[in-house]
Amino acid sequence: MQFKWNYKLPSPEHLQAANDLAEKIGMSPVLASLLIQRGIRTESAAKRFFRPMLSELIDPFLMNDMDVAVDRLNDAMGRKERIMVYGDYDVDGCTAVALVYKFLQQFYSNIEYYIPSRYEEGYGVSRKSIDHAAETGVKLIIVLDCGIKAVDEIAYARERGVDFIICDHHVPDDELPPAVAILNPKRTDSTYPFKHLCGCGVGFKLMQAFAKNNGIPFSRLIPLLDFCAVSIAADLVPIEGENRILAFHGLKQLNQSPSTGMKAIIDICGLTGRELTMSDIIFKIGPRINASGRMQNGIEAVELLVERDMKHALTIAERINEYNEQRKDVDKQMTEEANEIMARIESLQHQKSIVLYDVGWKKGVVGIVASRITELYYRPTVVLTIIDGVASGSARSVAGFDIYDAIKSCRDLLENFGGHTYAVGLTLKQENIPEFRRRFQEYVSNHILPEQTQQTLDIDFELEFRDISKRLLSDIKKLAPHGPGNPKPIFMTRNVYDYGTSKVVGRHQEHIKLELVDSKSAMVVNGIAFGQSAAAKYIKSKHSFDIVYTIEENTFKRGEVQLQIEDIRPSASEN
């Protein structure tokens, strides 16, 4: 991957504003500069950013249909109706189901949860689940992280005497399902001030409203915030506004007092005793929760998340961990096969998008493969598998390009689709794949901008090694939690040299462990460059080079600073 480095020298006005803010609140000018880049210019705004308050959560009753949803839930409980909590089989759906089920179960016992089988029922609300609900006496289904496009299915449920409350965050169609209430901040008529909640976040807002309506103290909701943090991280929604508040306090809960099921996952991941970050969720916790739905059935993930007995929770966690190991093997094989297909495409260099399919690929893993191919070739990508003449799969996008609109432009060829700007699920008949590929590629070619065809590293600040310290690391931690909308700060240092001890490491010798000095100090700085062993020869040549990096805490030496190198290139003076 060749990155484009995007760095603009800060203006004198920016530097002066940073110095002023730094002096007012006693922080480094570097941190103050990072705040100003994020639109935070005053002392009071900085304090709110550093200490997000649960009291600043938005009134849940500002969401369309919230009053109707709470009234229907109260009626169901008053009439002792059976309630089903239903969700998607991914991390967002499973955490959402666990949150709503665990909270309501404290006050009401006639309740169950349901996760559809990816392989038998597919995505979203299934007729099989509706039949199960009707036959077991369920009168109300709260559906989470899906349902916004289930027009026919929810109409069928009404015929069978089953009501729906939809809690979703995916982009709706013009026609909404005939549910009792539709909670979705992306509704075109939405009056809710924040549009970027995940599915678990919408479920949390319903529980917040239910608690408020019934005089239940908000403190009863706080133990469930670890689910919110996990879903926000795993679903890659912007960590700003209300999401920042939920993620900040959810991480606090995850670190200080996680639910039993979460504690079991943390133990299985080998993360016990560490301060957990959003990266730990994305790369360790989330994949294990997802593995249940990818390889078997997501209901096991919910069983784990609602479990109260630690011994039983560890048993489930170990089983889910095994699913994750199986997923890794399948993922590796499918990615290798996808790359072999890519190598045979002669016109690849002229294509602005990628559509791949194979009959043998596992349905639950195509989304991961789509992400890997997108990352490797940096083009909007669709990866499909074919079962009984029906192709289903996932689409992933590059920064700034709306792949939902691209897929929507081909909707007449599709059986179903849904998602948001950067990720879409879709199904279509096998015979429609060639025309879909042609039209999708045509749409991307006509709409993608030149700057969206090359991955960019947006550099926040240029540092010298003498600027890097434990205090700066501590300052950067104050900006957390990181993610879309609030990425980790990226720094650049020019004219650095190998100290003489850098070496290639890793099982396949794919990484570089670095010890570096710059041209202006004798300070030695440690770094790690993952997957960049190709640069090792140049690094050892004694020529200078420039690096772009994030500043991290060394996992093995707590408190020690380590650079995570994102990219390396020869210095201008060496060209």
Side-chain angles (χ1 to χ4, degrees), residues 1-2 4 351-353 374-375 377-381 396-403 406 421-422 443-456:
M1 173 64 68
Q2 291 291 316
K4 177 183 177 182
Q351 292 182 11
K352 299 289 179 63
S353 61
T374 303
E375 183 180 342
Y377 296 94
Y378 207 68
R379 300 171 207 191
T381 298
R396 297 292 184 270
S397 194
V398 297
F401 183 77
D402 191 333
I403 203 165
T421 303
Y422 293 119
Y443 181 97
V444 174
S445 295
N446 291 337
H447 290 84
I448 199 165
L449 301 175
E451 59 266 28
Q452 294 169 342
T453 61
Q454 184 176 12
Q455 191 160 6
T456 300

Side-chain angles (χ1 to χ4, degrees), residues 311-494:
K311 185 177 179 181
H312 189 215
L314 282 169
T315 300
I316 304 173
E318 286 168 358
R319 189 162 65 241
I320 285 177
N321 190 58
E322 180 56 36
Y323 295 154
N324 193 51
E325 293 302 313
Q326 296 169 14
R327 187 273 306 166
K328 288 179 184 178
D329 292 340
V330 174
D331 166 11
K332 183 174 183 291
Q333 179 184 340
M334 285 172 54
T335 301
E336 288 174 354
E337 291 171 359
N339 277 316
E340 288 172 5
I341 295 172
M342 295 295 294
R344 295 196 297 268
I345 300 175
E346 294 181 2
S347 60
L348 178 62
Q349 60 182 334
H350 304 297
Q351 292 182 11
K352 299 289 179 63
S353 61
I354 297 167
V355 178
L356 303 175
Y357 63 94
D358 192 279
V359 174
W361 286 344
K362 191 169 182 67
K363 187 177 179 181
V365 184
V366 289
I368 298 176
V369 176
S371 295
R372 299 205 191 287
I373 296 298
T374 303
E375 183 180 342
L376 187 60
Y377 296 94
Y378 207 68
R379 300 171 207 191
T381 298
V382 179
V383 177
L384 303 164
T385 186
I386 301 169
I387 302 172
D388 297 330
V390 176
S392 61
S394 297
R396 297 292 184 270
S397 194
V398 297
F401 183 77
D402 191 333
I403 203 165
Y404 182 88
D405 283 347
I407 299 293
K408 187 177 179 180
S409 72
C410 307
R411 66 182 308 160
D412 58 300
L413 299 171
L414 306 177
E415 299 298 300
N416 197 8
F417 76 102
H420 42 78
T421 303
Y422 293 119
V424 177
L426 65 157
T427 59
L428 66 160
K429 292 177 181 175
Q430 183 175 354
E431 59 263 30
N432 287 342
I433 293 177
E435 179 63 10
F436 168 78
R437 171 187 273 160
R438 185 191 70 78
R439 281 174 43 187
F440 175 76
Q441 292 181 338
E442 181 180 50
Y443 181 97
V444 174
S445 295
N446 291 337
H447 290 84
I448 199 165
L449 301 175
E451 59 266 28
Q452 294 169 342
T453 61
Q454 184 176 12
Q455 191 160 6
T456 300
L457 286 171
D458 292 318
I459 299 163
D460 291 283
F461 212 83
E462 183 173 357
L463 297 177
E464 296 174 7
F465 278 179
R466 63 190 171 202
D467 300 319
I468 299 171
S469 64
K470 292 181 180 180
R471 185 193 171 191
L472 180 58
L473 174 63
S474 177
D475 279 348
I476 291 168
K477 283 184 176 182
K478 294 174 185 174
L479 296 171
H482 297 295
N486 183 40
K488 283 185 179 179
I490 296 181
F491 301 100
M492 173 175 66
T493 301
R494 305 179 199 264

Side-chain angles (χ1 to χ4, degrees), residues 107-401:
F107 314 103
Y108 192 69
S109 60
N110 196 14
I111 185 169
E112 65 177 275
Y113 56 82
Y114 189 100
I115 302 289
S117 166
R118 184 191 294 262
Y119 297 97
E120 295 178 10
E121 298 168 78
Y123 172 78
V125 179
S126 70
R127 293 205 171 208
K128 177 182 176 181
S129 66
I130 292 167
D131 289 339
H132 167 78
E135 289 160 10
T136 56
V138 170
K139 294 297 182 184
L140 175 65
I141 296 177
I142 301 171
V143 60
L144 299 136
D145 193 36
C146 57
I148 196 63
K149 291 196 170 188
V151 176
D152 294 340
E153 290 81 5
I154 291 178
Y156 173 69
R158 287 185 67 178
E159 293 173 6
R160 299 218 59 182
V162 180
D163 285 341
F164 267 80
I165 295 171
I166 296 174
C167 301
D168 205 352
H169 70 122
H170 296 101
V171 179
D173 273 341
D174 294 335
E175 182 182 4
L176 296 176
V180 170
I182 299 175
L183 309 178
N184 187 332
K186 290 192 177 77
R187 283 174 56 164
T188 55
D189 61 345
S190 176
T191 56
Y192 196 69
F194 186 69
K195 308 298 181 188
H196 304 297
L197 291 169
C198 59
C200 187
V202 179
F204 178 84
K205 298 308 293 187
L206 174 59
M207 294 301 94
Q208 184 188 2
F210 172 79
K212 186 175 182 179
N213 180 263
N214 287 280
I216 300 167
F218 181 85
S219 59
R220 299 286 292 272
L221 285 162
I222 291 175
L224 302 169
L225 287 172
D226 55 350
F227 295 143
C228 290
V230 169
S231 63
I232 288 168
D235 224 50
L236 297 175
V237 291
I239 304 182
E240 55 193 22
E242 195 161 34
N243 280 342
R244 178 170 174 81
I245 300 172
L246 293 171
F248 181 90
H249 289 278
L251 266 180
K252 185 178 177 182
Q253 186 70 26
L254 195 64
N255 276 292
Q256 295 180 0
S257 185
S259 64
T260 303
M262 284 294 185
K263 179 68 171 66
I265 300 175
I266 291 167
D267 285 354
I268 290 295
C269 291
L271 296 173
T272 301
R274 280 181 47 184
E275 182 181 355
L276 301 175
T277 67
M278 298 301 263
S279 292
D280 292 319
I281 296 171
I282 292 169
F283 295 110
K284 299 282 188 177
I285 297 172
R288 284 165 173 79
I289 297 174
N290 252 337
S292 178
R294 291 190 188 283
M295 305 306 292
Q296 294 292 330
N297 192 306
I299 202 161
E300 287 183 271
V302 179
E303 288 174 4
L304 172 60
L305 295 175
V306 302
E307 181 57 54
R308 291 186 172 90
D309 178 72
M310 189 61 187
K311 185 177 179 181
H312 189 215
L314 282 169
T315 300
I316 304 173
E318 286 168 358
R319 189 162 65 241
I320 285 177
N321 190 58
E322 180 56 36
Y323 295 154
N324 193 51
E325 293 302 313
Q326 296 169 14
R327 187 273 306 166
K328 288 179 184 178
D329 292 340
V330 174
D331 166 11
K332 183 174 183 291
Q333 179 184 340
M334 285 172 54
T335 301
E336 288 174 354
E337 291 171 359
N339 277 316
E340 288 172 5
I341 295 172
M342 295 295 294
R344 295 196 297 268
I345 300 175
E346 294 181 2
S347 60
L348 178 62
Q349 60 182 334
H350 304 297
Q351 292 182 11
K352 299 289 179 63
S353 61
I354 297 167
V355 178
L356 303 175
Y357 63 94
D358 192 279
V359 174
W361 286 344
K362 191 169 182 67
K363 187 177 179 181
V365 184
V366 289
I368 298 176
V369 176
S371 295
R372 299 205 191 287
I373 296 298
T374 303
E375 183 180 342
L376 187 60
Y377 296 94
Y378 207 68
R379 300 171 207 191
T381 298
V382 179
V383 177
L384 303 164
T385 186
I386 301 169
I387 302 172
D388 297 330
V390 176
S392 61
S394 297
R396 297 292 184 270
S397 194
V398 297
F401 183 77

Side-chain angles (χ1 to χ4, degrees), residues 531-543:
Q532 298 184 59
S533 58
K537 185 176 180 180
Y538 185 87
I539 289 169
K540 302 299 287 184
S541 71
K542 299 184 180 180
H543 293 292

